[in-house]
Amino acid sequence: MSLRTGHVGLNVTDLDRSLPFYTEVFQLDVAQKGQDGDRRWAFLTRDGALLITLWQQSARGFATDRSGLHHLSFQAESMEEVREREAVLRGLGVEFAYDGVVPHGEGAASGGIFFRDPDGIRLEIFAATGAEAAPAPVAAAPTCGFF
């Protein structure tokens, strides 16, 4: 058997707020939007592949003290792409967990940016190399583990 991640479905509190965030930050296309009474959803794609589905069915934002999703990570081709997404996020006024690009751990080449969506869902955009020169924000634990 060969498995790989398909799409990720996220519960959101306000589709009208989350949809522009995800399409702008991750450069995704809206393949489908729907509504059936108070049930609202959107399917987001890139190059025809379904990546994220948004489901407006939550009354409260993301809770880190409950089991479930820890964070959602996206790999960019280069650190330049990570920094481009960082600029978009800064333009949207998004607060970062750490100040800009940080490595995944002390001395690691991989690293990226860590932030939250409008509902507080923890997100990461990283590249496999290019973070070597940045200081790690946490000395002994993985950077992505506790933001």
Side-chain angles (χ1 to χ4, degrees):
M1 176 180 358
S2 175
L3 293 176
R4 63 184 174 103
T5 303
H7 69 276
V8 175
L10 299 174
N11 285 342
V12 298
T13 59
D14 183 349
L15 188 63
D16 292 330
R17 179 180 65 174
S18 294
L19 190 55
F21 176 86
Y22 279 92
T23 56
E24 186 169 346
V25 170
F26 297 104
Q27 297 179 315
L28 299 174
D29 299 313
V30 178
Q32 181 184 9
K33 275 176 64 171
Q35 182 167 354
D36 180 10
D38 61 350
R39 296 176 182 198
R40 299 180 67 212
W41 65 90
F43 294 171
L44 306 179
T45 63
R46 176 174 294 132
D47 300 327
L50 180 61
L51 298 178
I52 295 176
T53 59
L54 300 176
W55 306 93
Q56 182 177 299
Q57 58 184 353
S58 295
R60 293 182 303 269
F62 183 75
T64 59
D65 65 344
R66 298 196 185 118
S67 62
L69 178 72
H70 181 274
H71 73 284
L72 180 57
S73 176
F74 295 88
Q75 184 171 359
E77 291 291 320
S78 68
M79 193 55 69
E80 180 179 309
E81 288 182 18
V82 174
R83 294 192 188 284
E84 288 171 5
R85 298 298 91 211
E86 178 185 8
V88 169
L89 288 158
R90 289 194 188 281
L92 293 172
V94 171
E95 291 184 30
F96 293 82
Y98 308 110
D99 187 24
V101 171
V102 296
H104 281 126
E106 195 65 47
S110 65
I113 52 176
F114 300 84
F115 55 99
R116 296 174 188 265
D117 85 343
D119 285 305
I121 296 172
R122 297 183 289 197
L123 301 167
E124 168 188 4
I125 302 174
F126 79 98
T129 61
E132 306 79 356
V138 182
T143 303
C144 62
F146 299 96
F147 73 97

